[in-house]
Amino acid sequence: MSGHLDELARSKGWTVTAEKTVRYDVILTGGLFDPESRVFLESSGTHTGGGIRRFIVIDRTVDELHGARIRAYLDHHEVRYKLLTLEVSEQNKTLELVSVIVRALDEYGIDRHEPIVAIGGGVLLDMVGVAAGLYRRGTRYVRVPTTLVGLIDAGIGAKTGINHDGYKNRLGAYHPPVAALLDRTFLATLDERHLANGMAEILKMALIRDRDLFDLLAEHAPLLVAERFQGRTPAGDRAACEVVRHAVGGMLDELAHNLWEHTLARPVDFGHSISPAIEMSALPELLHGEAVAIDMAVFVVIACRRGLVSPEDRDRILALIVDLGLPVEHPRLDRSLLRGALAETVRHRGGMARLPLPVGIGSVCFVDDVTESELMLAVKELRELGGEDAERAGGG
Ligand SMILES: NC(=O)c1ccc[n+]([C@@H]2O[C@H](COP(=O)([O-])OP(=O)(O)OC[C@H]3O[C@@H](n4cnc5c(N)ncnc54)[C@H](O)[C@@H]3O)[C@@H](O)[C@H]2O)c1
């Protein structure tokens, strides 16, 4: 050791600096498991001499609905594979199920360079992501999202997570996949409630950065849901392509420059300030997107009260949330839940609330001074607005 380093080590210790380049492909594809498609084979990593092997974890419902064609595809291409079918839900998105995956990986004897493949909704993708991040300190994996939430959100970022001790996504890591393969045909079997659930995250993107996306949703949301994004009519096809392209592109644009979330004021956190507390307290009644919709409604009302959103835009936004089949409030929203939710948000965002508030439609600002009383006033206003709507409908 040189005299200089020696001296430094004695006085202060060392600093290690290393950089990690992240690169992954997010591929829009149709018919991923059509026999002629090679996207799955070519985008999921290296092929060793003995042909292609794949360890695939799949959501049980997806297996029941799509497993036959996935197996036929794998057989057609002579892939040697293990399908691990898991019954997953928000309640068992836990460490226990991650260890089930890890045990199966050991039994299979996955090669260091073979990617794990995850096929399912956000819950399965998040859980496989955690397993892949932990296994041998980090194993490659490919995401194939099968829900709308997966397609435009959970499937395309770097985050993984599982629930722990009653907290949502309390354990997890930033462990991006090597590829995300987005195939809308999976949505053909998704029920309306889960489509609406995904629409909540798309609406979030529209409100924080993309007014054109908001207009697309306002015009085409019922058609998109009716056609399940399958483009059964030319108008439906155009709308589905445009909405997915805007939503995925917008999300990646937001994520790419802050993949490790060093910047804690994140526009994409809109809808995710009080929603984790609402979702966890109302489990299993509320879906993630439904809790996000309530959170968005509360903060849109606050933004309107602060003069950041006009009453007309507030009403358009709330009407669209309702049109999408999403809730704008919940009986569990009380002072104590909101107090806890705010405190948890401050803890999560490095000691400051950094609450994204919409500014008109398509932009946000950040504030730290929202109090539980202001939140309660917004909830009260939402309940009154809901009551007026119900009265109008009743008086018809
Ligand atoms: N990592 C991230 O960045 C990120 C982002 C957003 C959400 N998430 C997580 O994603 C989860 C929500 O994901 P989700 O809404 O996809 O829920 P989910 O994974 O529970 O799927 C919803 C339901 O649809 C079923 N399903 C899946 N694909 C289907 C298909 N093609 N046809 C019919 N049914 C199908 C599932 O079995 C499940 O019952 C939450 O846990 C949330 O925390 C993670």
Side-chain angles (χ1 to χ4, degrees), residues 189-234:
T189 54
L190 199 62
D191 64 42
E192 284 194 9
R193 188 172 174 208
H194 281 99
L195 280 170
N197 190 39
M199 287 293 210
E201 296 285 2
I202 299 181
L203 177 59
K204 172 191 82 177
M205 291 311 296
L207 293 178
I208 64 173
R209 58 172 283 141
D210 190 343
R211 193 173 177 116
D212 290 345
L213 179 57
F214 183 88
D215 292 339
L216 275 168
L217 286 181
E219 193 179 343
H220 298 293
L223 181 65
L224 289 169
V225 173
E227 294 190 358
R228 291 184 159 63
F229 282 76
Q230 300 308 294
R232 296 194 175 113
T233 57

Side-chain angles (χ1 to χ4, degrees), residues 59 90 93 121-123 126 146-147 153 159 168 186 189 197:
D59 176 308
E90 203 61 52
K93 187 186 175 190
V123 170
D126 265 3
T146 62
T147 60
D153 194 346
K159 290 201 275 193
K168 196 161 161 59
F186 280 106
T189 54
N197 190 39

Side-chain angles (χ1 to χ4, degrees), residues 305-326:
R305 294 173 76 94
R306 290 188 176 207
L308 297 168
V309 167
S310 68
E312 295 73 35
D313 278 347
R314 175 199 64 192
D315 292 347
R316 283 188 74 202
I317 297 166
L318 295 180
L320 182 53
I321 295 178
V322 173
D323 277 355
L324 288 169
L326 293 162

Side-chain angles (χ1 to χ4, degrees), residues 46-57:
T46 51
H47 303 167
T48 43
I52 308 175
R53 290 196 337 155
R54 285 292 174 266
F55 181 92
I56 301 169
V57 190

Side-chain angles (χ1 to χ4, degrees), residues 90 149 153 168-169 197 200-201 204 271-272 275-276 279 286-294:
E90 203 61 52
V149 168
D153 194 346
K168 196 161 161 59
N169 295 328
N197 190 39
E201 296 285 2
K204 172 191 82 177
H272 294 70
S275 65
E279 186 181 348
L286 278 184
L287 298 178
H288 180 72
E290 292 168 344
V292 168
I294 295 169

Side-chain angles (χ1 to χ4, degrees), residues 52-197:
I52 308 175
R53 290 196 337 155
R54 285 292 174 266
F55 181 92
I56 301 169
V57 190
I58 186 166
D59 176 308
R60 178 171 303 283
T61 306
V62 180
D63 192 5
E64 280 162 15
L65 295 165
H66 301 273
R69 66 186 177 97
I70 294 173
R71 284 180 179 80
Y73 175 89
L74 297 168
D75 292 339
H76 176 77
H77 290 282
E78 297 178 350
V79 177
R80 288 178 296 131
Y81 60 90
K82 157 84 185 156
L83 267 183
L84 174 66
T85 304
L86 293 180
E87 179 107 38
V88 297
S89 69
E90 203 61 52
Q91 288 93 307
N92 73 359
K93 187 186 175 190
T94 58
L95 210 45
E96 284 72 37
L97 216 50
V98 168
S99 31
V100 169
I101 300 172
V102 167
R103 202 167 309 126
L105 283 170
D106 268 333
E107 281 164 15
Y108 181 72
I110 199 157
D111 183 294
R112 195 71 206 251
H113 301 291
E114 284 174 329
I116 303 167
V117 180
I119 306 180
V123 170
L124 183 116
L125 300 179
D126 265 3
M127 229 164 8
V128 174
V130 169
L134 289 173
Y135 194 69
R136 294 179 185 274
R137 303 189 182 94
T139 303
R140 294 149 50 86
Y141 72 115
V142 173
R143 293 193 188 128
V144 181
T146 62
T147 60
L148 189 54
V149 168
L151 211 77
I152 51 95
D153 194 346
I156 60 177
K159 290 201 275 193
T160 71
I162 49 172
N163 303 331
H164 193 68
D165 269 352
Y167 288 100
K168 196 161 161 59
N169 295 328
R170 181 42 54 100
L171 299 178
Y174 297 89
H175 184 55
V178 288
L181 311 178
L182 314 185
D183 177 2
R184 275 192 282 136
T185 62
F186 280 106
L187 305 184
T189 54
L190 199 62
D191 64 42
E192 284 194 9
R193 188 172 174 208
H194 281 99
L195 280 170
N197 190 39

